[in-house]
Amino acid sequence: MKMSSKLLVIPILLVAGILLAFNLNNSPSYSPVTKDFKSANSEDNFNKMMDVLMSPRCINCHPNDNIPKQGDDSHPHYFGMSRGENNLGYQATKCTTCHQSENNNYSGVPGAPEWSLAPESMKWEGLTRNEIAESMLDPKRNGGRNHEELMHHLTEHELVLWAWEPGVRADGSQRNPPPVPLDEYIKAVKEWFEDGANIPSNQ
């Protein structure tokens, strides 16, 4: 290479270096959400969701022995009721004989559209929070639902939402709703699914 060519290359390299340094120093800062923060947020949402799903308003209809439960103490349903045909009891004692599409505040019988026991594959009674979540996410046990369908069921299905408007008991006293307000629950469920529906390993 001739001396004049070498002398020409030096200032070009200097200019390129200055431009590179300028761009690096003035590039926008980026602070990614850390894995720990995302996990902590997801775990908080998981716990809010599970506080609801493990409340009597939900667990009573997810029995492990085919017998629906009643009340905050989850006692066996009166009148010897059991799962029966299509999760609706037997011909003479169908769930819908008493449980209509809305609460009956005169008799104290609760009601909502599609009132029934959850399918046997969705029995949650006696399971841990993690075991319920694993069961809930398993298409073989959740009715073949994907995450989008499951999120829709948990946040929009009228029978699920009934839990926050459970009506009154036969003596006129108000039934207790789940321990998390409805808007907080819906937000927690949606964010948990958006974060990947991760199940904490420490529960």
Side-chain angles (χ1 to χ4, degrees):
M1 182 181 289
K2 294 181 180 181
M3 182 60 68
S4 59
S5 298
K6 290 181 179 179
L7 292 174
L8 185 62
V9 168
I10 292 173
I12 292 174
L13 291 175
L14 285 173
V15 171
I18 291 170
L19 290 173
L20 179 61
F22 178 83
N23 287 332
L24 288 175
N25 289 333
N26 288 277
S27 60
S29 60
Y30 174 64
S31 300
V33 176
T34 65
K35 185 176 181 181
D36 289 341
F37 175 80
K38 185 174 181 180
S39 295
N41 188 52
S42 182
E43 186 167 349
D44 183 54
N45 288 327
F46 174 82
N47 285 327
K48 283 185 179 181
M49 176 179 68
M50 295 312 303
D51 284 346
V52 170
L53 300 185
M54 294 191 76
S55 75
R57 297 291 77 79
C58 293
I59 287 292
N60 284 355
C61 291
H62 288 259
N64 61 11
D65 57 3
N66 297 321
I67 299 173
K69 304 303 188 295
Q70 293 178 306
D72 290 339
D73 61 353
S74 297
H75 60 265
H77 197 296
Y78 297 137
F79 318 120
M81 299 296 293
S82 61
R83 180 178 302 282
E85 302 167 0
N86 300 317
N87 310 307
L88 288 168
Y90 294 97
Q91 189 63 40
T93 54
K94 285 198 171 203
C95 300
T96 51
T97 299
C98 295
H99 298 280
Q100 304 299 307
S101 60
E102 59 184 20
N103 296 324
N104 187 326
N105 290 332
Y106 296 100
S107 66
V109 176
E114 300 182 50
W115 191 278
S116 73
L117 279 184
E120 188 174 8
S121 63
M122 299 181 195
K123 52 189 178 185
W124 295 351
E125 185 184 14
L127 300 184
T128 66
R129 298 161 87 83
N130 280 16
E131 288 171 340
I132 289 175
E134 290 166 4
S135 171
M136 182 175 69
L137 293 173
D138 183 357
K140 293 180 180 178
R141 291 183 281 176
N142 73 11
R145 295 181 177 94
N146 59 31
H147 281 194
E148 184 69 25
E149 293 165 334
L150 189 55
M151 183 175 69
H152 173 83
H153 175 74
L154 290 172
T155 60
E156 297 183 35
H157 196 282
E158 289 183 272
L159 185 54
V160 175
L161 299 184
W162 165 86
W164 283 268
E165 295 184 6
V168 298
R169 303 180 182 92
D171 63 4
S173 61
Q174 186 70 41
R175 289 188 182 86
N176 295 318
V180 179
L182 177 57
D183 58 341
E184 286 186 33
Y185 162 77
I186 290 176
K187 182 175 181 287
V189 171
K190 289 183 175 180
E191 288 184 355
W192 183 68
F193 276 103
E194 288 167 2
D195 282 344
N198 297 310
I199 301 173
S201 59
N202 60 346
Q203 298 196 44

